[in-house]
Amino acid sequence: MSRFAAPAFGRRIFLQALGAAGGVVAAPGLWDPAPVLAADSKVKAVERSEIGVTLTLDLSQAPFPCDGGAYRDATVMVFVPAHYRAPEDDTLDLVMHFHGHNTNAARAIAAHKLREQLHESKQNAVLVLPQGAVNAPESPPGKLGQQGGLRRLCGELAAALATPSARRALGDAAVPRRAKLGTLCLSAHSGGYNVAAACLRLGGCEVSEVYLFDALYGEVDAFRAWVLEGKGKPGRGRHKLVSHFVAGDVRRLNLELKRALEAEGVACLHERRPGELTRKQLLDGRAIFIETPLAHGAVTFEQNAFRDCLFASGLRRQLRSSWFERKDEPRQIDVRSSS
């Protein structure tokens, strides 16, 4: 087999693919690969920079189009940091971010500095931004609101990243050819909470961590149930929620969720002033609620909230970091420019 050969699909993978169509239920922890992938048809664009490579993919299991609705864009943006190296166990760790209303994936990944923050976290993970409803005042989940939708998207994504065109574009940072499910983290800004909640209820993948950025406008029960599913579980079996919020209804619902979790015996952390919690608390906490004085549109990036979620995550880092120095002291907040 040549270096850039696409992975062969054996009997087990064929059965998993049938499971996506309703014939067989795939085993937990496995993705449903797309049954057929044209070698180069999935990569629409490649953008290179010093910090990594951004691929724009066209995937049949993207949220849209769905059921003949108005939204038709099947784009999925993928950023692989330059320091990424495929693990020996062939697992693929993903951070999947859902953008909010009145924007699109390309604008969100740039405006919220998501690539830069993943790069700075030094985590050996891949960032994924599915295109939601384009520039719309709503955030329907599309196919991610269907049973197993998240599993199917992740499977097709893994297969697309194994194609020759993707592997050539990524070079030394190419992902495993036969990627298995690693740690999966979901992230949402604003109205993207609706898609994240649908993935927790119906996605068919084990989600380890959820980051909300002024995003808890509803679906409190979905997030509460997900946290409770991981209650008391050690290591990668844990479920960790980090929710940053500003004011108004989002603040009220965050405090409502905090009270509901505490009533179920979940220890919650609540930061009322920036930097009040230590980095060790961010690392060890399971339900963390962080009030911020920032504007709604700046919560994700202005104080590096997304980066710090990744630093304190269960993702696997291959590079050394000074982020954990003085980890028991109130952490210093560093502000990044929006330019």
Side-chain angles (χ1 to χ4, degrees), residues 23-39:
V24 177
V25 177
L30 297 175
W31 288 329
D32 294 336
V36 177
L37 270 181

Side-chain angles (χ1 to χ4, degrees), residues 22-144:
V24 177
V25 177
L30 297 175
W31 288 329
D32 294 336
V36 177
L37 270 181
D40 293 313
S41 64
K42 300 295 175 178
V43 179
K44 299 189 333 186
V46 178
E47 177 187 348
R48 294 181 175 86
S49 73
E50 291 184 358
I51 65 172
V53 176
T54 303
L55 302 177
T56 302
L57 306 178
D58 185 87
L59 300 182
S60 62
Q61 297 302 323
F64 300 102
C66 180
D67 296 333
Y71 305 114
R72 313 297 298 171
D73 194 332
T75 294
V76 176
M77 298 190 70
V78 178
F79 171 69
V80 183
H83 61 255
Y84 179 87
R85 294 297 181 269
E88 292 183 359
D89 63 0
D90 288 336
T91 54
L92 178 61
D93 290 353
L94 298 178
V95 181
M96 188 173 294
H97 181 81
F98 304 116
H99 67 75
H101 294 177
N102 299 311
T103 190
N104 57 59
R107 189 183 306 158
I109 199 173
H112 294 264
K113 308 297 181 184
L114 300 177
R115 289 173 289 200
E116 292 84 351
Q117 292 188 77
L118 172 57
H119 169 73
E120 291 164 13
S121 78
K122 301 182 180 179
Q123 295 288 16
N124 201 51
V126 171
L127 173 67
V128 183
L129 268 80
Q131 177 60 62
V134 177
N135 302 327
E138 60 175 348
S139 296
K143 288 194 284 289
L144 291 179

Side-chain angles (χ1 to χ4, degrees), residues 253-299:
L253 290 175
N254 269 277
L255 298 181
E256 176 184 311
L257 175 57
K258 176 177 174 288
R259 288 191 295 269
L261 291 173
E262 289 174 334
E264 296 282 356
V266 176
C268 297
L269 297 173
H270 184 183
E271 179 170 281
R272 295 169 177 81
R273 295 180 300 278
E276 187 176 37
L277 294 177
T278 68
R279 290 177 175 180
K280 187 175 189 304
Q281 286 175 307
L282 293 186
L283 177 67
D284 295 340
R286 294 297 177 268
I288 304 171
F289 298 87
I290 299 179
E291 297 195 44
T292 174
L294 301 175
H296 171 74
V299 172

Side-chain angles (χ1 to χ4, degrees), residues 19-22 26 30-34 59-66 76 94 96 98 128 130 141-158 184 186 195-207:
L30 297 175
W31 288 329
D32 294 336
L59 300 182
S60 62
Q61 297 302 323
F64 300 102
C66 180
V76 176
L94 298 178
M96 188 173 294
F98 304 116
V128 183
K143 288 194 284 289
L144 291 179
Q146 299 173 352
Q147 189 70 47
L150 178 61
R151 180 191 294 273
R152 290 190 291 275
L153 173 58
C154 288
E156 186 181 15
L157 171 68
L184 175 60
L186 301 184
V195 191
C199 289
L200 295 180
R201 291 196 311 266
L202 302 168
C205 283
E206 176 65 22
V207 176

